[in-house]
Amino acid sequence: MEALSRAYGDEALTAFELDFLSNGERRRHPLGASWQVPFEAVEPVRPFRWDKGTPGFAGWYYSATVRDHVGYESWLERDRLILLDRDPQVRAILAQPFWLHWHDGERRRRHAPDYFVRLATGQARIVDVRAEDDMDEGTWEAFVATQRACSAVGWD
């Protein structure tokens, strides 16, 4: 952890918070105090949208990797999930693993990445899936913030 602080500065480790569900209990801690949580073992932080007329195409994909169903909210997410499931380096996949909280200088923001992935090396990877033509300014900002948080703790 000390090496991470030196490499990326303490700012990101305290500027971001992770909010997640573990054993049915909601927990919220600074990024620097929670980045080692085994997120492949937590529960999704929000339900998937199933309502008729809701944009996207939500569903469950049975993952051979995790031997359980993993949720998705669009066909694009489902396709990425299939690719992750077929990747021999992927050992675990969890949808909606946590809320990432931060302040953008004007207001409080939050974002739930689409997937947390654990690789065979033990490395963590955060995956967000969105069609480029479906990206508004707020989405770009959330993805940039997520990248910054991931870099601070050595996640892909």
Side-chain angles (χ1 to χ4, degrees):
M1 186 62 173
E2 187 176 319
L4 288 172
S5 294
R6 283 195 308 271
Y8 298 103
D10 289 329
E11 181 185 338
L13 299 177
T14 57
F16 294 100
E17 292 183 326
L18 296 181
D19 177 353
F20 56 95
L21 290 170
S22 181
N23 297 322
E25 183 179 326
R26 183 162 227 99
R27 298 167 194 240
R28 184 170 171 170
H29 303 289
L31 175 64
S34 56
W35 69 277
Q36 291 183 333
V37 169
F39 286 102
E40 59 270 33
V42 300
E43 301 154 48
V45 293
R46 66 180 177 80
F48 296 96
R49 298 182 197 130
W50 303 99
D51 301 331
K52 186 174 183 175
T54 301
F57 182 79
W60 295 101
Y61 170 78
Y62 184 81
S63 166
T65 300
V66 299
R67 292 184 167 86
D68 201 355
H69 288 90
V70 180
Y72 59 87
E73 294 179 309
S74 70
W75 284 12
L76 196 57
E77 282 184 26
R78 184 209 55 195
D79 291 351
R80 176 54 59 118
L81 186 53
I82 291 169
L83 291 172
L84 290 169
D85 197 32
R86 294 181 53 85
D87 185 335
Q89 293 302 309
V90 172
R91 295 294 184 257
I93 308 164
L94 178 75
Q96 312 294 330
F98 53 78
W99 286 107
L100 177 69
H101 292 266
W102 73 97
H103 196 282
D104 69 4
E106 295 179 18
R107 63 188 173 97
R108 294 189 185 278
R109 302 279 308 271
R110 73 177 186 168
H111 170 64
D114 294 316
Y115 299 109
F116 176 89
V117 177
R118 181 71 67 191
L119 302 176
T121 61
Q123 177 70 23
R125 177 176 292 161
I126 302 303
V127 178
D128 272 313
V129 182
R130 188 74 53 100
E132 191 170 342
D133 61 347
D134 194 25
M135 301 269 291
D136 59 16
E137 185 177 338
T139 302
W140 280 108
E141 291 170 357
F143 285 8
V144 168
T146 302
Q147 176 63 45
R148 184 172 165 232
C150 289
S151 293
V153 294
W155 291 346
D156 289 340

